[in-house]
Amino acid sequence: MTLPQRIARLDVYPTADDVEFFRQNGYLRVERITTDEEVEWLGRRYDELFAERRGAFPGGYFDLSRPYDAEGADLLPQILMPEIKVPEVRETSFHRNGRRYAAALLGVPKEDLGSWGHMILKPARVGHETPWHQDEAYWEPTRSYTAVGLWMPLDPATVESGCLHFVPGSHRGEVLHHRHISDDPAVHGLWTDEADGTGSVAVPVQPGGATFHHPRMLHYAGPNRTDRDRRAWATEFQLPPVTLDPPAHRPWVEEGRQAWDGRRVIAEAVAKRGRA
Ligand code: NI
C-alpha cells in the first residue's frame, strides 16, 4: 500500500526565529504541517488501528491511565509504533515536514534522525488527563538522547478537549522524579510530583497544525470535556541513543518493565520488519 496519489504534497520550512524560539522555550507551535486531506487519510488509518485495539498490537496497545489488564472502557489509550502497520506514514507531508523541522530544531542533519510514532486517543467526555511529565522519564536510563517530539492533533486540540500545556524553559532542567499513576507499576502513565505547572502555557492547535517539544519539556494535557474524541498522532525524531555511563537514576522504568511485555513484543515486530 502506498499513500494515495491524489493527496497533494505540502512543504513547510522552519525559520531562524522558529529555531531560536525552540532553543529558548523548549517547544514550538506550527500552524500547518500538512493538508486537511492528509489529516483525513491519517484519521482513517488511526481509527482502523484503534478499532483493532490489542488485536493489532499485543503489548503495544494499552491505556496509559489504567493497569495493562484493566477491563472496561479505556480512558487514555495509546498505540506505540503505528508505522509497523501503516508504513505509508513515512511518505506523508506530516512526516517529511516533521523530520525537516526536527533536524533544524536539533541542529543535526535530517538523514541522521531515526523516528518512531505513537497515537494517543482522548475519548470524548471520558478522556483522562495526561498528568505533568517529561517524555525522557519513560526512556532507558542507560541511554543519552538527542530528540524532539512532534505532536499533531487530528481533531481540534483546545483547552477543553485536552491540548498540550508546556512550561517554557523547563527543557533546560534535569529529568525530575516520576512515579506511576496510582503508584501502580502496571499503569504505564507516569507523572512527576516535583512540578505543578507553575508558569505553564496552553497551546491549542487545529488539525493539520502541530507542536514540537524537547524530551525534558514539562507538559500536561487536560481531560477531554467535549463531545468529540481528541485524536493525536505523535512522532519522536532522534539521533541513535548513546550509552550513558553511569546510568541515570530512574527506578520507575525498571519497576514498570516487569509489568509490561511491550518492549519485547515491539522489538520482535521491528526485527521481523527489519527496521524501526
Ligand atoms: Ni508526553
Side-chain angles (χ1 to χ4, degrees):
M1 195 174 172
T2 55
L3 199 63
Q5 291 286 325
R6 60 170 176 75
I7 296 183
R9 182 182 163 114
L10 174 76
D11 280 294
V12 288
Y13 296 85
T15 65
D17 283 351
D18 289 337
V19 174
E20 184 54 27
F21 184 93
F22 178 81
R23 292 202 173 141
Q24 291 294 325
N25 295 283
Y27 74 95
L28 179 71
R29 181 180 178 282
V30 178
E31 187 73 29
R32 263 287 164 196
I33 196 150
T34 190
T35 62
D36 292 344
E37 214 177 10
E38 194 177 89
V39 167
E40 195 196 320
W41 184 85
L42 286 166
R44 284 201 298 276
R45 303 288 85 76
Y46 187 105
D47 293 344
E48 286 163 11
L49 293 187
F50 272 101
E52 286 186 61
R53 305 180 75 224
R54 292 182 176 82
F57 289 94
Y61 173 101
F62 48 79
D63 186 341
L64 275 167
S65 69
R66 305 189 306 146
Y68 293 110
D69 57 357
E71 300 288 326
D74 288 326
L75 305 178
L76 194 57
Q78 162 162 324
I79 287 174
L80 289 180
M81 296 189 177
E83 62 275 11
I84 291 172
K85 289 273 184 173
V86 190
E88 314 88 287
V89 71
R90 293 177 183 281
E91 300 165 29
T92 59
S93 294
F94 161 60
H95 195 85
R96 187 178 58 257
N97 289 322
R99 175 184 294 276
R100 182 183 301 128
Y101 267 80
L105 299 181
L106 295 172
V108 303
K110 64 179 195 246
E111 297 74 23
D112 293 355
L113 290 173
S115 68
W116 56 275
H118 54 133
M119 306 194 305
I120 313 156
L121 174 61
K122 222 174 253 275
R125 295 177 297 280
V126 299
H128 196 276
E129 70 165 7
T130 314
W132 285 102
H133 69 280
Q134 295 160 298
D135 292 341
E136 194 175 345
Y138 281 90
W139 302 349
E140 294 292 341
T142 55
R143 298 272 191 275
S144 168
Y145 297 88
T146 299
V148 63
L150 160 63
W151 187 93
M152 180 177 77
L154 304 174
D155 303 290
T158 61
V159 170
E160 296 74 27
S161 73
C163 69
L164 294 179
H165 298 237
F166 298 119
V167 179
S170 60
H171 65 301
R172 291 195 213 97
E174 295 299 309
V175 176
L176 301 178
H177 180 262
H178 281 64
R179 44 210 288 188
H180 290 265
I181 291 174
S182 306
D183 280 334
D184 181 351
V187 179
H188 195 86
L190 298 173
W191 66 285
T192 177
D193 52 11
E194 295 184 341
D196 60 6
T198 301
S200 65
V201 292
V203 186
V205 192
Q206 289 299 307
T211 56
F212 289 84
H213 65 270
H214 186 280
R216 294 196 177 174
M217 166 54 57
L218 272 165
H219 58 292
Y220 162 91
N224 184 356
R225 302 186 199 282
T226 72
D227 292 333
R228 179 172 172 174
D229 288 348
R230 194 236 60 196
R231 301 168 296 170
W233 198 312
T235 303
E236 198 68 35
F237 291 96
Q238 61 181 38
L239 292 180
V242 176
T243 299
L244 187 60
D245 186 21
H249 182 64
R250 289 179 210 145
W252 55 87
V253 173
E254 187 51 43
E255 287 161 22
R257 195 193 320 271
Q258 292 166 19
W260 180 42
D261 64 354
R263 285 166 204 259
R264 180 179 57 77
V265 172
I266 288 170
E268 283 170 11
V270 169
K272 215 180 285 176
R273 288 195 62 83
R275 62 169 192 176

